[in-house]
């Protein structure tokens, strides 16, 4: 990012940096150089400081200069030649123009470039603090050999003697230049420069790459991954352990950046997942959970817990009576507040902050009633590897959106969690363990809440050396970049002219630390262990070395490619095999014929020996034809090689034949075989003869095949070769035939009838042309065939499309396929589908297109006659699919489109059942109409029972629909519509009664206590004033019919804004719920924590439609 300093008060506000005019019409002028001093780096930094030089240029008799521009003497910075360029009267502006120039740009080699950060200053010789200094940076090259400020300062200010810039007509300029090494992205070698390699980005996987690099550089973790049992029969794309072993092995031993596709395939991800940016913490949790599961029953079982698991104690302690409640919980990472905290220690202080339960919020202590109490969290133990997630993202209720917290937040190189006599530790903590941690890695997020880029700073050996892992690129960095520059906050731009009361300019730094990994000093030796080849399974070493050898072989071939020519030889056998099966147009697919890799200097006659060895055709019986690409983009054999050409080298011949400088030489091998199947010498070809290729079409079988080639006389007529064509087709001797010339097929088919009464030359036929022929048809028998002639068949082949149909309710299962034409109309397509499905009325077929990115049906089905042709149904943005989804409707689609269809899940009040009902009503109907229609279809507990309609999304109730609401805008594609009877107790709420939301939730053992995941069916519950949790539990157990042994394991929590506060049996629940409005009150609810053992129901959020946002999932 290039930052421009604000201009002085008298400068133009829209100051612009420009490259000056490049004509060097005037040479350097003599001047006095007072000093040129090199600034030596005094700090002992880990990464070598870039060379810097300060240069001072004093110009006398400045006002009398009579030149448009002026150059300083040349000064050197590590061998680079620089000079300052000044326009004393301005570069076509009324400001002084000042630039830094590459002094020897005219003599540097083509393609040169150098990168410099520099400042230019006009010195105030009276008051140094008013010196005007401006900083910038630039990559200098042949096109931009000077760079600087066209409007540096106003000329009126410069020439005003009272200002101090021109004293005794002397003018002083200072330049400070720092030359940095230009990192060419394409030629930069991470392994060579740093000893480490990066990971390739699949689209939006930088978040994953930064996490994987962090985990890889925890050697104990890497060793455990290597020791996970895998076999030589496993495939990386289907085995997470093997894919991770393979990835780590390549990171350890490869010289180039490593791909992650095998790993993401082992997760069960498709391309769409790889282009979805997710959360690092979420991926970390899910990946570690999967590895923990895969490690069970192996020699490395428990590694994840051993490395990352710590424990804290939640406690509530009464102040006035002797009562204390505690609960031990584990964590794999800790979420620390950033907002309102200056550093990590402040976050830990906030984490263990004691909350007072008093007044209306007193604690119901068992056997002691309501009591004043202290509530908090203390740590029992910390893990060897401490992962700290910094809460850079949070929900802003005022703006109703997620925001990123870019506040300054410091983190130390060494973190002492025993500080202040162990104030973070619980009484049960083992004080013999020294909780002193050293920083291992800093994961950074650069960007905003809706996206950005992730990378990591890591100390792989915990030495003073830091490295930046940014996808494919790894660079050495100094500690300041890894630490201070990732604190976030604001940065102040240097003032242009201090002393003139300039406004201070600040900008927010959007790159900041997002996750920190610390390693405990006492465990450092064990965690940072050696990992070498003996830790890697032999089958894995063999597999990966073989992969590497193949890669090296391909690399070698690529490097030597300029020495070789690829010769592709097509023969009659190839045409016979391909035409009518793999291809229909042209003669051959050159990618599927025999290819020879031949040295360019080899004489072509020697290559013919290679052909003899391969095909067994003696050299004297071989004749080769060159292929030519015609203007209509078809390929045809053009002419045979001359004897003289065959004496040339392969490389010369390729250049003669190939105007596009392609590395390939394409040839057709003509071989004549006699009746006794012996080879014959190639017939003499005269100028009057042309070589034609023939295809035969059978309209009955709809079959096209290659039958041979013939030399014909250019002035002869087609009738002269009819007998040979009839013999090749094995027709009866007197069969009438029709001939067509296949001309082209892109962008449309062109196949024209040949008049057999005129000569081949008159029909403009030449060497390599293709003639298709068939039996002549009468007007009567033409109607027997779908495609009676060659042009209609080729048109069909050009536009045919095999479409795979799937039932909409089973979008992952292929049902059947149909061969259709891209030109089919909407009616043609639904008619064929209806016929396939045995549906009498095609208008009852409704189709949906395929989303190529999500691999799901598009949410909106295709409207009746809403598209013109099949090709329009298959296009999704710039991609074409071959999948359509179908539904069989019970009424015709045109009629249905006039109605609003809602899918409503009815929950019976007494029976343990949920039934899905499809409600169809006119679009101007109301929710009351839906309920009335539903009542006619369902069994109610009582005839006078009242029914309500709810909106449920992700296992939470978001809305109770008012009866008068119009149904036209209700969306049931992403939200579940639930209907249920209104319980009698809700109809007669007392003055102090509360109607609250009750949701099921679970929390994985390695998830932070602040995060919950809802599941199951949410419901409402009436709670009364003074009612304890014990009373409410009895009613909930009865309502849900949960067995005692299972219900005893459930935990109950008041959850507000996703944060659970666990309740005790004696707690007065109504005290927690102060809101009476349940509409929009889903952020406060009574949470029932237990494991999700219920089978997934088919009616949950419409499964055949993709949801707005996909969570991170690893499927295998």
């Amino acid at each position: 990012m290039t930052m421009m300093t604000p201009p002085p008060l008298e400068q133009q506000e829209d100051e612009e940096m420009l490259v000056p005019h490049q004509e060097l019409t005037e040479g350097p002028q003599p001047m006095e150089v007072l000093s040129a001093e090199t600034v030596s780096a005094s700090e002992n930094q880990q990464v070598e400081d870039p060379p810097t030089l300060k240069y001072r240029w004093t110009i006398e008799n400045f006002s009398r200069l009579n030149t448009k521009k002026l150059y300083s003497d040349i000064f050197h910075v590590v061998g680079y030649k620089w000079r300052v360029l000044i326009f004393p009267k301005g570069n076509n502006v009324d400001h002084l123009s000042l630039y830094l120039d590459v002094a020897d740009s005219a003599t540097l080699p083509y393609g040169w470039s150098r990168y410099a950060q520099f400042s230019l200053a006009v010195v105030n010789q009276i008051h140094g603090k008013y010196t005007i200094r401006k900083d910038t940076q630039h990559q200098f090259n042949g096109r931009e050999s000077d760079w600087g400020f066209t409007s540096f300062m106003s000329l009126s200010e410069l020439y005003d003697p009272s200002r101090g810039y021109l004293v005794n007509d002397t003018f002083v300029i200072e330049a400070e230049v720092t030359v940095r090494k230009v990192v060419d992205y394409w030629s930069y070698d991470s392994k060579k420069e740093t000893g480490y390699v990066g990971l390739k980005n699949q689209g939006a996987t930088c978040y994953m790459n930064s996490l994987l690099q962090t985990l890889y550089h925890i050697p104990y973790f890497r060793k455990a991954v290597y020791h996970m049992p895998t076999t030589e029969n496993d495939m990386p794309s289907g085995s997470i352990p093997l894919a991770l072993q393979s990835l780590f092995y390549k990171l350890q031993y490869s010289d180039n950046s490593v791909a992650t596709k095998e790993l993401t395939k082992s997760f069960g991800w498709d391309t769409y997942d790889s282009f979805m940016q997710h959360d690092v913490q979420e991926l970390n949790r899910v990946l570690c959970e999967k590895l923990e599961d895969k490690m069970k029953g192996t020699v490395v079982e428990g590694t994840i817990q051993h490395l990352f698991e710590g424990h804290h104690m939640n406690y509530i302690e009464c102040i006035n009576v002797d009562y204390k409640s505690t609960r031990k919980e584990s964590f794999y990472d800790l979420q620390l507040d950033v907002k309102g905290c200056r550093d990590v220690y402040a976050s830990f202080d906030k984490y263990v902050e004691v909350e007072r339960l008093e007044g209306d919020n007193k604690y119901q202590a068992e056997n002691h009633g309501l009591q004043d109490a202290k509530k908090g969290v203390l740590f029992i133990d910390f893990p060897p590897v401490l992962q700290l997630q910094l809460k850079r993202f949070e929900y802003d209720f005022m703006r109703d959106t997620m925001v990123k917290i870019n506040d300054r937040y410091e983190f130390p190189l060494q973190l002492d969690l025993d500080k202040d006599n162990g104030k973070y530790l619980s009484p049960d903590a083992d004080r013999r363990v020294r909780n002193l941690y050293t920083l291992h890695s800093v994961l950074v997020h650069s960007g905003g809440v809706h996206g950005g880029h992730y990378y990591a700073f890591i100390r792989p050996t915990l030495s003073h050396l830091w490295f930046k892992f940014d996808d494919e690129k790894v660079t050495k960095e100094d500690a300041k970049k890894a630490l201070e520059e990732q604190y976030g906050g604001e940065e102040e731009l240097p003032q242009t002219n201090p002393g003139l009361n300039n406004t201070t300019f600040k900008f927010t730094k959007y790159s900041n630390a997002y996750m920190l990994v610390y390693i405990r000093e006492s465990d450092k030796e064990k965690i940072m262990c050696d990992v070498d080849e003996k830790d890697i399974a032999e089958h894995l070493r063999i597999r990966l070395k073989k992969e590497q050898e193949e890669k090296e072989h391909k690399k070698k071939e690529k490097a030597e490619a300029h020495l070789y020519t690829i010769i592709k030889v097509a023969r009659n056998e190839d045409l016979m095999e391909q035409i009518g099966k793999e291809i229909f147009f042209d003669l051959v697919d050159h990618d599927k014929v025999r290819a020879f890799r031949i040295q360019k200097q080899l004489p072509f006659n020697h290559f013919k020996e290679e052909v003899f060895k391969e095909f067994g055709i003696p050299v004297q019986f071989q004749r080769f034809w060159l292929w030519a690409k015609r203007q209509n983009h078809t390929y045809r054999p053009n002419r045979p090689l001359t004897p003289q050409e065959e004496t040339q080298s392969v490389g010369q011949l390729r250049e003669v034949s190939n105007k596009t400088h392609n590395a390939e030489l394409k040839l057709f091998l003509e071989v004549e075989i006699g009746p006794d199947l012996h080879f014959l010498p190639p017939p003499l070809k005269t100028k009057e003869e042309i070589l034609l290729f023939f295809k035969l079409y059978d309209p009955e079988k709809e079959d096209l095949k290659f039958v041979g080639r013939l030399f014909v006389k250019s002035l002869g007529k087609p009738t002269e070769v009819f007998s040979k064509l009839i013999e090749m087709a094995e027709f009866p001797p007197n069969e009438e035939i029709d001939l067509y010339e296949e001309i082209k097929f892109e962008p449309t088919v062109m196949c024209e009838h040949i008049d057999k009464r005129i000569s081949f030359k008159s029909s403009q036929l030449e060497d390599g042309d293709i003639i298709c022929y068939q039996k002549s048809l009468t007007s009567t028998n033409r109607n027997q065939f779908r495609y009676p002639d060659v042009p209609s068949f080729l048109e069909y082949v050009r536009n045919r499309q095999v479409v795979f149909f799937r039932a909409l309710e089973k979008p992952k299962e292929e049902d059947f396929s149909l061969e259709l034409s891209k030109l089919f109309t909407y009616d043609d397509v639904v008619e064929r589908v209806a016929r396939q499905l045995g549906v009498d009325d095609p208008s009852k077929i409704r189709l949906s297109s395929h989303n190529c990115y999500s691999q799901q049906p598009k949410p909106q089905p295709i409207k009746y006659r809403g598209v013109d042709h099949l090709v329009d149904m298959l296009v999704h943005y710039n991609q074409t699919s071959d999948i359509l989804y179908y539904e069989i409707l019970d009424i015709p689609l045109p009629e249905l489109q006039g109605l609003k269809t809602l899918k409503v899940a009815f929950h019976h009040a007494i029976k343990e059942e949920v039934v899905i009902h499809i409600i169809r009503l006119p679009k101007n109907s109301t929710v009351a109409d839906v309920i009335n229609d539903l009542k006619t279809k369902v069994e109610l507990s009582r005839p006078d029972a009242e029914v309500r309609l709810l909106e449920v999304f992700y296992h939470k109730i978001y809305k109770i629909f008012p009866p008068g609401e119009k149904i036209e805008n209700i969306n049931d594609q992403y939200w579940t519509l639930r209907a249920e009877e209104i319980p009698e107790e809700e109809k007669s709420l007392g003055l102090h009664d509360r109607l609250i939301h009750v949701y099921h939730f679970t929390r994985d053992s390695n998830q932070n206590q602040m995060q919950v995941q809802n599941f199951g069916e949410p419901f409402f519950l009436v709670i009364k004033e003074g009612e304890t949790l014990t009373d409410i539990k009895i009613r909930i157990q009865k309502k849900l019919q949960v067995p005692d042994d299972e219900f005893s394991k459930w935990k109950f929590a008041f959850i507000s804004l996703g944060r659970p506060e666990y309740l005790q049996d004696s707690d007065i629940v109504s005290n927690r719920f102060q809101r009476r409005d349940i509409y929009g009150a889903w952020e406060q609810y009574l949470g029932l924590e237990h494991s999700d053992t219920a089978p997934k129901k088919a009616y949950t959020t419409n499964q055949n439609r993709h949801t707005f946002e996909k969570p991170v999932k690893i499927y295998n």
Side-chain angles (χ1 to χ4, degrees), residues 1053-1061 1083-1085:
F1054 169 70
I1055 299 184
S1056 177
L1057 308 179
R1059 181 171 184 155
E1061 295 180 29
E1083 71 271 14
Q1084 283 193 352
Y1085 60 90

Side-chain angles (χ1 to χ4, degrees), residues 970-990:
I970 293 179
N971 187 342
D972 66 343
Q973 289 178 356
Y974 299 108
W975 291 267
T976 299
L977 299 181
R978 185 171 104 188
E980 63 185 19
E981 293 183 27
I982 302 176
E984 287 300 311
E985 65 173 358
E986 291 186 26
K987 297 178 186 177
S988 54
L989 286 175

Side-chain angles (χ1 to χ4, degrees), residues 348-362:
F348 270 97
D349 291 344
K350 192 171 181 181
Y351 205 99
V352 301
E353 201 170 53
V354 176
E355 179 186 354
R356 303 278 295 194
L357 304 179
E358 53 194 11
D360 291 339
N361 197 29
K362 284 187 178 183

